[in-house]
Amino acid sequence: MDKEIFGLIDAEAVRQREGLELIPSENYVSGDVLKAAGSVLTNKYSEGYPDFDGLLDWDDKEIAKTILPSRRYYGGQENTDRVERLAIARACRLFGADHANVQPHSGAQANNAVYNAWLEPGDTVLGMNLGHGGHLTHGSPVTLSAKIYNFVPYGTVAETGDIDYDEMEKMAIKHQPKILLVGYSAFMKVPDFAQVAEIGKKIPGCLLMADMAHVAGLIAGKVHKSPFDYGFHVMTTTTHKTLRGPRGGMILSKGAVGNPLKKPEKTLENIPMLIDRSVFPGTQGGPLMHIIAAKAVAFGEALKPEFQEYAANIVNNAAILADELDALGFHCIGGGTENHLILIDMMKSFKVDGKIMERALDRIGLNLNANSIANDTLPPFRPSGIRLGTPAITTRGLGKQEMKRIAKWMRAVADICAKAKKEVNLDKYNADFSVLREEVKKMALRFPLPSDK
């Protein structure tokens, strides 16, 4: 046994058990998802795809026992094909998609594969400004995709925190994007997908794409609108976050499903096959079959009725937490939240930056992240805001009373930070942190991790 590595894994398990995860992009997987991710499927190369004709008409038992012709480049695929077909079928049922590619290693890989499937170098994508809550892969100049394609940003309205749909339409008419992208990493509203779709219809050959990495679990749990209900062609997502699966990505699409080995005509109807060809061999090699198995387990869990209750609890907890924080003097961007995520302007609230607050909260076992806000005057590594959410703590079973307690702990830490002002070293407040740390630990240990049950 590698004592150094496994010692650190054990230490991380202790950290997770004794603290509370408020980062909105993190969650805790079930014991079954964890087992699948650590299975012998990690030993198998499976480049290519399984056959999946008529897949959605089958139940899970039929898929698990039926061997179909394989479209792989290696032999020995009788089990891996069935695992991937189960993942595809469950994902399609969960989201009402015609097809799912479950091979992307991350959300970023999923987005890049869609770009590669539909765009030519230099084509235009209209996506949310990173500084207003968008994601790196939506046009940040530090990314590879931004060096290949022309990304044009739209923003949000400062007063409401919502998308500036008027600006979006003006930019779309002006720049004629090949992809109109709705997606974000720090956004507290439910997008008006119908309005976006109407804008997209005015642009010939425009692909409507939704990056729903943060809210996929809320969509699956039927507490958030689905872009597919409004005519979107593609939805990308991670499989962790609110979906509560292993770390990975996925691309869901509407259109014709067929053999990706035969090059299809480049039409919106053929986008599922174009995406398959773009994932492999276009942007990735061998899929991670152990992670695909873990994705399939997570999708199966999300298809159960209790997952809808979980999704509703995420949103309820977030609303309660936002209201409590607002009452304690925190300035919540947009006046609160409509989903799982809360964005707070710490400079406006307490005249301290988000990074100091993040580091101080780490000391008591509450983990979140510093985050830029719209039109932030501070640098990205020490921004004005913090970002937090409720998916992970809701998984552990925390509810209304715990949200109120977390808000009070956060206010206590904010007061310490206000005293410290711009000091990076908070050591002289260790005694105060220690008292709060024990309170957080005591609560956390009342709510076991799912994999410990």
Side-chain angles (χ1 to χ4, degrees), residues 249-298:
M250 174 168 63
I251 306 170
L252 299 144
S253 55
K254 288 283 195 175
V257 181
N259 186 349
L261 299 180
K262 297 178 182 178
K263 188 175 181 179
E265 182 183 356
K266 198 169 185 179
T267 65
L268 289 171
E269 176 65 16
N270 287 338
I271 196 67
M273 291 179 284
L274 293 167
I275 286 170
D276 277 353
R277 288 177 63 85
S278 180
V279 174
F280 177 81
T283 56
Q284 289 187 183
L288 308 178
M289 293 310 304
H290 55 303
I291 299 301
I292 290 175
K295 291 175 184 178
V297 173

Side-chain angles (χ1 to χ4, degrees), residues 42-285:
T42 194
N43 300 330
K44 186 63 188 147
Y45 251 122
S46 299
E47 289 175 315
Y49 291 101
D51 193 305
F52 40 75
D53 290 341
L55 189 66
L56 298 183
D57 295 329
W58 301 357
D59 63 25
D60 284 3
K61 290 182 179 179
E62 287 181 306
I63 295 171
K65 71 183 181 182
T66 303
I67 298 176
L68 293 175
S70 186
R71 297 166 179 164
R72 309 281 193 183
Y73 289 85
Y74 293 81
Q77 306 291 346
E78 58 267 25
N79 297 311
T80 50
D81 276 359
R82 287 178 284 181
V83 165
E84 188 165 350
R85 289 202 302 268
L86 276 167
I88 293 168
R90 290 176 179 179
C92 288
R93 293 172 196 153
L94 197 54
F95 293 99
D98 293 330
H99 184 51
N101 189 301
V102 296
Q103 293 191 9
H105 303 325
S106 68
Q109 291 283 73
N111 286 344
N112 287 333
V114 177
Y115 301 154
N116 183 59
W118 190 242
L119 303 175
E120 299 297 332
D123 281 347
T124 297
V125 180
L126 188 61
M128 186 181 282
N129 189 321
L130 176 64
H132 286 228
H135 189 260
L136 282 169
T137 56
H138 302 168
S140 172
V142 302
T143 62
L144 176 62
S145 56
K147 294 177 173 63
I148 300 173
Y149 313 111
N150 175 40
F151 285 85
V152 176
Y154 60 83
T156 57
V157 179
E159 294 77 17
T160 64
D162 206 351
I163 293 169
D164 189 335
Y165 295 100
D166 290 338
E167 180 192 26
M168 176 190 282
E169 183 166 8
K170 290 175 184 176
M171 300 294 278
I173 297 299
K174 179 180 178 180
H175 295 281
Q176 297 289 296
K178 290 289 292 294
I179 293 179
L180 178 51
L181 172 58
V182 175
Y184 36 82
S185 62
F187 183 68
M188 303 72 57
K189 304 291 183 179
V190 177
D192 188 338
F193 295 120
Q195 189 168 352
V196 177
E198 286 303 312
I199 294 171
K201 289 176 184 177
K202 299 177 182 180
I203 314 300
C206 182
L207 177 80
L208 290 170
M209 174 180 173
D211 179 350
M212 297 288 99
H214 265 274
V215 296
L218 304 184
I219 294 171
K222 304 189 185 309
V223 296
H224 189 292
K225 295 177 181 177
S226 170
F228 285 143
D229 291 339
Y230 300 89
F232 274 64
H233 306 103
V234 173
M235 182 173 121
T236 60
T237 182
T238 52
T239 49
H240 42 289
K241 299 187 176 79
T242 52
L243 197 49
R244 209 160 56 177
R247 303 191 72 84
M250 174 168 63
I251 306 170
L252 299 144
S253 55
K254 288 283 195 175
V257 181
N259 186 349
L261 299 180
K262 297 178 182 178
K263 188 175 181 179
E265 182 183 356
K266 198 169 185 179
T267 65
L268 289 171
E269 176 65 16
N270 287 338
I271 196 67
M273 291 179 284
L274 293 167
I275 286 170
D276 277 353
R277 288 177 63 85
S278 180
V279 174
F280 177 81
T283 56
Q284 289 187 183

Side-chain angles (χ1 to χ4, degrees), residues 7-18 21 26 449:
L8 290 169
I9 292 172
D10 289 342
E12 174 60 15
V14 171
R15 186 196 70 81
Q16 291 186 20
R17 291 185 187 108
E18 295 183 353
E21 191 56 73
E26 295 192 12
L449 302 182

Side-chain angles (χ1 to χ4, degrees), residues 326-341:
D326 179 73
L328 291 172
F330 289 86
H331 179 75
C332 298
I333 304 294
T337 183
E338 296 176 2
N339 55 30
H340 68 301
L341 186 148

